[in-house]
Amino acid sequence: MVSENSDAQGGEPTALALKILVAGGFGVGKTTLVGAVSEIRPLRTEELLSEAGQLVDDTDGVDQKVTTTVAMDFGRITIRSGLSLYLFGTPGQDRFWFLWDELSQGALGAVVLADTRRLEDCFPAVDYFEHRHIPFVVAVNCFTGARTYGAHDVSRALDLDQGTPVVLCDARDRDSGKEVLIRLVEYAGRMHTARLLDSVG
């Protein structure tokens, strides 16, 4: 876990910046979440969906979607004085997965956004972070008209490791998104501390 340091001049703590990934399936709300919580104008790499992409992009359940992230989204949020999160939204389609390894370098943890109408779409992201031992929380984006499931039901459906947090959220709402990020930072902090203790035990 990165810790705050004091500068050589007056002993003021330096700002701590943590890298967080926002992942999940196609059309689940990753760009929306980053944009909702970012205190700076978010960087977006969206392009219009093309006819060529219809053969590889599954738009069932997200028929109104007309753009897609082709590289990443980027935003920043200050959680408290001296603690900022740099948010990197990953592309959702399989053909852009080669970017994930680069984006995940140095990440504290990840938010895996889930849509209960297309829950299977977040399995690849869950597997990715589990296999690389990157702490993550599953944030169920509560879409209008979607059936509501409890956190325990989602955890069982995704066969998550015991203790992996599942939270309900509205990706459009800044406060809701911020709560998800705080939950992730707390969880990732506990996980990293436990690993450090195991390594010296």
Side-chain angles (χ1 to χ4, degrees):
M1 191 88 174
V2 183
S3 60
E4 291 184 350
N5 297 310
S6 297
D7 64 28
Q9 299 280 324
E12 288 291 318
T14 56
L16 177 62
L18 303 174
K19 182 180 184 179
I20 302 294
L21 299 185
V22 179
F26 178 61
V28 78
K30 301 179 294 293
T31 298
T32 300
L33 177 65
V34 172
V37 301
S38 182
E39 62 200 16
I40 62 172
R41 183 177 179 182
L43 167 68
R44 292 178 173 155
T45 58
E46 289 197 305
E47 296 292 340
L48 290 172
L49 290 170
S50 65
E51 286 188 25
Q54 289 178 356
L55 299 174
V56 290
D57 294 331
D58 179 9
T59 57
D60 284 346
V62 287
D63 303 5
Q64 305 302 313
K65 188 170 174 61
V66 296
T67 61
T68 184
T69 299
V70 295
M72 67 173 184
D73 299 308
F74 175 77
R76 185 189 71 213
I77 179 174
T78 301
I79 296 296
R80 58 171 171 77
S81 178
L83 175 59
S84 296
L85 304 182
Y86 289 157
L87 309 175
F88 292 81
T90 65
Q93 300 99 307
D94 293 350
R95 67 183 188 276
F96 296 125
W97 268 56
F98 65 91
L99 294 168
W100 282 48
D101 288 338
E102 291 293 329
L103 290 174
S104 65
Q105 290 293 321
L108 173 79
V111 173
V112 176
L113 272 176
D115 177 352
T116 57
R117 301 169 302 177
R118 297 159 52 103
L119 197 58
E120 67 279 1
D121 288 2
C122 69
F123 273 116
V126 168
D127 289 343
Y128 183 91
F129 297 122
E130 282 184 345
H131 289 147
R132 287 159 180 79
H133 306 290
I134 298 174
F136 67 95
V137 301
V138 173
V140 180
N141 193 5
C142 298
F143 286 90
T144 303
R147 183 175 169 188
T148 302
Y149 293 88
H152 181 66
D153 293 328
V154 173
S155 181
R156 281 179 44 197
L158 293 176
D159 194 25
L160 298 177
D161 291 339
Q162 187 174 7
T164 302
V166 176
V167 294
L168 306 182
C169 75
D170 181 344
R172 302 164 299 180
D173 182 76
R174 176 180 170 83
D175 289 338
S176 180
K178 186 174 180 179
E179 284 301 314
V180 170
L181 295 171
I182 290 172
R183 185 80 177 271
L184 171 62
V185 170
E186 292 173 346
Y187 174 64
R190 292 195 301 272
M191 292 291 289
H192 285 290
T193 299
R195 288 171 187 169
L196 282 174
L197 292 175
D198 285 344
S199 68
V200 298

